[in-house]
Short mmCIF file of all heavy atoms in Angstrom, two decimals:
data_model
loop_
_atom_site.label_atom_id
_atom_site.label_comp_id
_atom_site.label_asym_id
_atom_site.label_seq_id
_atom_site.Cartn_x
_atom_site.Cartn_y
_atom_site.Cartn_z
N LYS A 1279 -25.74 11.00 -10.84
CA LYS A 1279 -27.17 11.18 -10.58
C LYS A 1279 -27.44 12.49 -9.83
O LYS A 1279 -28.41 13.19 -10.10
CB LYS A 1279 -27.72 9.99 -9.79
CG LYS A 1279 -27.86 8.72 -10.63
CD LYS A 1279 -28.39 7.58 -9.78
CE LYS A 1279 -28.58 6.32 -10.63
NZ LYS A 1279 -29.06 5.17 -9.83
N SER A 1280 -26.55 12.81 -8.90
CA SER A 1280 -26.70 14.03 -8.12
C SER A 1280 -26.44 15.28 -8.96
O SER A 1280 -27.23 16.22 -8.95
CB SER A 1280 -25.74 13.99 -6.93
OG SER A 1280 -25.79 15.21 -6.22
N SER A 1281 -25.34 15.26 -9.69
CA SER A 1281 -24.97 16.46 -10.45
C SER A 1281 -25.88 16.70 -11.65
O SER A 1281 -25.98 17.82 -12.15
CB SER A 1281 -23.51 16.35 -10.92
OG SER A 1281 -23.35 15.28 -11.82
N LEU A 1282 -26.56 15.64 -12.11
CA LEU A 1282 -27.44 15.76 -13.28
C LEU A 1282 -28.92 15.69 -12.91
O LEU A 1282 -29.77 15.57 -13.78
CB LEU A 1282 -27.11 14.64 -14.29
CG LEU A 1282 -25.68 14.65 -14.85
CD1 LEU A 1282 -25.39 13.35 -15.59
CD2 LEU A 1282 -25.46 15.84 -15.77
N ALA A 1283 -29.21 15.80 -11.61
CA ALA A 1283 -30.59 15.63 -11.13
C ALA A 1283 -31.55 16.65 -11.72
O ALA A 1283 -32.76 16.39 -11.83
CB ALA A 1283 -30.61 15.72 -9.60
N ARG A 1284 -31.03 17.80 -12.10
CA ARG A 1284 -31.92 18.84 -12.64
C ARG A 1284 -32.44 18.53 -14.03
O ARG A 1284 -33.34 19.20 -14.54
CB ARG A 1284 -31.19 20.19 -12.66
CG ARG A 1284 -30.03 20.28 -13.66
CD ARG A 1284 -29.24 21.56 -13.42
NE ARG A 1284 -28.22 21.82 -14.42
CZ ARG A 1284 -27.01 21.26 -14.43
NH1 ARG A 1284 -26.70 20.39 -13.48
NH2 ARG A 1284 -26.13 21.56 -15.37
N PHE A 1285 -31.86 17.52 -14.67
CA PHE A 1285 -32.27 17.14 -16.02
C PHE A 1285 -33.22 15.94 -15.97
O PHE A 1285 -32.86 14.88 -15.45
CB PHE A 1285 -31.06 16.78 -16.89
CG PHE A 1285 -30.11 17.92 -17.12
CD1 PHE A 1285 -28.87 17.94 -16.51
CD2 PHE A 1285 -30.46 18.97 -17.95
CE1 PHE A 1285 -27.98 18.99 -16.72
CE2 PHE A 1285 -29.59 20.03 -18.17
CZ PHE A 1285 -28.35 20.04 -17.55
N SER A 1286 -34.41 16.12 -16.51
CA SER A 1286 -35.37 15.01 -16.55
C SER A 1286 -35.16 14.12 -17.77
O SER A 1286 -35.79 13.06 -17.89
CB SER A 1286 -36.80 15.56 -16.57
OG SER A 1286 -36.99 16.37 -17.73
N ASN A 1287 -34.28 14.53 -18.67
CA ASN A 1287 -34.07 13.79 -19.93
C ASN A 1287 -32.78 12.98 -19.93
O ASN A 1287 -32.30 12.59 -21.00
CB ASN A 1287 -34.09 14.75 -21.12
CG ASN A 1287 -32.98 15.80 -21.05
OD1 ASN A 1287 -32.47 16.09 -19.97
ND2 ASN A 1287 -32.63 16.37 -22.20
N VAL A 1288 -32.21 12.73 -18.75
CA VAL A 1288 -30.98 11.95 -18.66
C VAL A 1288 -31.26 10.63 -17.95
O VAL A 1288 -31.82 10.60 -16.86
CB VAL A 1288 -29.87 12.71 -17.91
CG1 VAL A 1288 -28.64 11.81 -17.72
CG2 VAL A 1288 -29.48 13.98 -18.65
N GLU A 1289 -30.85 9.54 -18.59
CA GLU A 1289 -30.95 8.20 -18.00
C GLU A 1289 -29.54 7.65 -17.84
O GLU A 1289 -28.79 7.58 -18.82
CB GLU A 1289 -31.77 7.27 -18.88
CG GLU A 1289 -31.90 5.86 -18.34
CD GLU A 1289 -32.67 4.92 -19.27
OE1 GLU A 1289 -33.17 5.39 -20.31
OE2 GLU A 1289 -32.76 3.72 -18.95
N ILE A 1290 -29.18 7.31 -16.61
CA ILE A 1290 -27.83 6.79 -16.34
C ILE A 1290 -27.92 5.28 -16.13
O ILE A 1290 -28.69 4.80 -15.30
CB ILE A 1290 -27.22 7.47 -15.11
CG1 ILE A 1290 -27.11 8.98 -15.35
CG2 ILE A 1290 -25.85 6.88 -14.80
CD1 ILE A 1290 -26.79 9.78 -14.12
N ILE A 1291 -27.15 4.55 -16.92
CA ILE A 1291 -27.17 3.09 -16.84
C ILE A 1291 -25.78 2.60 -16.43
O ILE A 1291 -24.78 2.94 -17.08
CB ILE A 1291 -27.55 2.48 -18.21
CG1 ILE A 1291 -28.96 2.93 -18.62
CG2 ILE A 1291 -27.47 0.95 -18.16
CD1 ILE A 1291 -29.37 2.49 -20.01
N GLN A 1292 -25.74 1.81 -15.36
CA GLN A 1292 -24.46 1.22 -14.96
C GLN A 1292 -24.28 -0.09 -15.72
O GLN A 1292 -24.96 -1.09 -15.47
CB GLN A 1292 -24.41 0.96 -13.46
CG GLN A 1292 -23.03 0.45 -13.02
CD GLN A 1292 -22.97 0.11 -11.56
OE1 GLN A 1292 -23.84 0.49 -10.78
NE2 GLN A 1292 -21.92 -0.61 -11.16
N LYS A 1293 -23.36 -0.06 -16.68
CA LYS A 1293 -23.18 -1.22 -17.56
C LYS A 1293 -21.84 -1.11 -18.27
O LYS A 1293 -21.35 -0.01 -18.51
CB LYS A 1293 -24.32 -1.24 -18.60
CG LYS A 1293 -24.35 -2.44 -19.52
CD LYS A 1293 -25.03 -3.64 -18.87
CE LYS A 1293 -25.18 -4.78 -19.86
NZ LYS A 1293 -25.82 -5.96 -19.27
N ASP A 1294 -21.28 -2.24 -18.60
CA ASP A 1294 -20.09 -2.29 -19.46
C ASP A 1294 -20.53 -1.97 -20.88
O ASP A 1294 -21.35 -2.70 -21.47
CB ASP A 1294 -19.47 -3.68 -19.37
CG ASP A 1294 -18.18 -3.80 -20.18
OD1 ASP A 1294 -17.90 -2.93 -21.02
OD2 ASP A 1294 -17.46 -4.80 -19.97
#
Side-chain angles (χ1 to χ4, degrees):
K1279 286 180 178 178
S1280 175
S1281 64
L1282 299 168
R1284 68 190 187 278
F1285 296 108
S1286 61
N1287 61 338
V1288 175
E1289 179 183 356
I1290 300 168
I1291 299 174
Q1292 185 183 346
K1293 185 82 174 180
D1294 183 345

